[in-house]
Amino acid sequence: MNLNAYLEFSPEVAEAKASGKPIVALESTIISHGMPYPQNVEMAKTVEQIIRDNGAVPATIAIMDGKYKIGLSEADLERLATEDNVAKVSRRDLAEVIATKRIGATTVATTMIGAAFAGIKFFVTGGIGGVHRGFEETMDVSADLEELAQTPVTVICAGAKSILDLPRTLEYLETKGVPVIGYKTDVLPAFYTGTSPYKLNGSADSVDTIASIVKTSTDLGLDGGVLVVNPIPKEHELDAAYIDGIIETAVAEAEDKGIVGKDITPFLLGKIVELTDGKSLKANIELVYNNAKVGAQIASSYNGL
Ligand code: PSU
Ligand code: MN
């Protein structure tokens, strides 16, 4: 069976591929499970436009009607944001959701897989999954990290939220051979805040340097992805003590309620929005926009190499 039978390109993405334009993938779990309606659809449309404004073509990815859709229409975005029973699809769930023709939102892991199938090298999101706090008991490590280890797509994000164990997430990425490059920073950004105590091994001050790192990794056949961590703009940062307190409360509530597995990240994300009265949502949206700008610029620079 031909892989192409499972892929469905939007007209915009098909045209971009045919004419060799830079393309940037976007995930859909951030829409279905990461943000409330209608801000999620608004964010999804605006982020696509920011990518266009910065010289690249957006390709939001999701699973619909038995296909890996590469590039979504506005109606598709609306479906993802409003339909009940949108599956959160990680690598484990992929074959099942495609075969049974359910509607599925792609995580970082499955957006990387779809992007690689589609020949797209860059992918912009908010935050990645990682090693969960208390992993010693639960063994909960996001499949996003394994995907970064094996799939050659560059992911531009704002670091990871401290709902995760950040230093262990970095250790895991090191073990798996994933370069983590700070854009204009030498510490890991912690999503809502631009800094953290955790030193990075690599950093770059220009998008051209990042493009050349990606090119070199590709030329060497290193296989895995590159993780670019881009701090939230200063004017949108939340106070570190404030957001850490909120995260502690959310994590404790998840534990009390016995929430585990694929449900824990969406639960924590929703809880944080609720406890911050939407302040975290505003920060989340702004950091995605900032990542879109940088990601499109990296993809354009790469195209010129
Ligand atoms: N972190 C966020 N926002 C998100 C996610 C993570 O700040 O929307 C989503 C992404 O789709 C990510 C997934 O790939 O959650 C990770 O889920 P898990 O921890 O179950 O692997
Ligand atoms: Mn998990």
Side-chain angles (χ1 to χ4, degrees):
M1 188 63 192
N2 187 339
L3 176 60
N4 284 325
Y6 290 96
L7 299 180
E8 188 176 312
F9 291 92
S10 69
E12 184 185 18
V13 176
E15 192 281 323
K17 270 178 72 74
S19 59
K21 289 187 187 140
I23 305 175
V24 174
L26 296 160
E27 63 157 305
S28 42
T29 295
I30 191 174
I31 303 170
S32 63
H33 292 74
M35 289 182 189
Y37 183 80
Q39 290 95 332
N40 52 2
V41 176
E42 174 69 31
M43 179 280 304
K45 288 185 200 162
T46 307
V47 79
E48 290 195 349
Q49 194 52 45
I50 291 171
I51 286 172
R52 293 185 193 101
D53 293 345
N54 284 275
V57 171
T60 306
I61 295 181
I63 311 291
M64 283 181 192
D65 313 318
K67 303 269 187 191
Y68 234 128
K69 281 209 177 188
I70 315 293
L72 302 182
S73 66
E74 281 197 21
D76 293 335
L77 290 176
E78 199 68 35
R79 272 185 78 187
L80 267 172
T82 54
E83 264 187 43
D84 292 335
N85 301 320
V86 175
K88 174 183 166 191
V89 183
S90 195
R91 177 180 270 273
R92 166 191 69 181
D93 315 295
L94 196 47
E96 182 197 335
V97 175
I98 292 177
T100 57
K101 299 192 163 47
R102 292 171 64 204
I103 177 167
T106 52
T107 61
V108 168
T110 47
T111 305
M112 290 180 75
I113 296 170
F117 283 165
I120 299 172
K121 290 213 59 79
F122 298 92
F123 160 28
V124 159
T125 189
I128 59 160
V131 177
H132 279 264
R133 296 193 196 181
F135 81 101
E136 311 89 307
E137 278 295 313
T138 60
M139 279 184 74
D140 192 349
V141 177
S142 175
D144 293 353
L145 300 185
E146 292 297 329
E147 213 54 57
L148 282 161
Q150 61 180 310
T151 301
V153 171
T154 295
V155 179
I156 296 96
C157 70
K161 289 188 172 74
S162 58
I163 58 172
L164 301 169
D165 186 326
L166 297 183
R168 288 186 176 85
T169 298
L170 282 179
E171 289 292 350
Y172 199 95
L173 289 166
E174 179 183 350
T175 300
K176 294 289 180 172
V178 179
V180 182
I181 311 293
Y183 181 59
K184 298 184 179 170
T185 181
D186 54 10
V187 295
L188 180 70
F191 201 86
Y192 299 117
T193 55
T195 62
S196 77
Y198 313 114
K199 260 313 259 155
L200 295 173
N201 208 58
S203 80
D205 282 337
S206 78
V207 293
D208 295 340
T209 304
I210 294 175
S212 82
I213 293 169
V214 174
K215 171 84 163 48
T216 305
S217 176
T218 306
D219 289 348
L220 294 175
L222 290 181
D223 274 353
V226 173
L227 185 64
V228 176
V229 290
N230 181 34
I232 182 173
K234 271 226 157 338
E235 64 273 26
H236 297 297
E237 273 188 307
L238 297 180
D239 178 73
Y242 166 72
I243 194 66
D244 283 349
I246 299 270
I247 288 171
E248 292 295 340
T249 308
V251 169
E253 185 167 336
E255 215 177 297
D256 277 356
K257 292 200 156 127
I259 294 166
V260 293
K262 72 176 188 347
D263 299 327
I264 189 148
T265 300
F267 174 85
L268 292 173
L269 297 175
K271 202 76 213 167
I272 292 167
V273 172
E274 181 190 317
L275 292 172
T276 60
D277 233 349
K279 280 201 274 296
S280 68
L281 181 60
K282 171 96 170 57
N284 195 343
I285 290 172
E286 292 296 340
L287 66 82
V288 174
Y289 292 168
N290 185 47
N291 294 342
K293 188 176 96 189
V294 171
Q297 290 170 357
I298 296 170
S300 300
S301 171
Y302 182 90
N303 235 39
L305 291 175

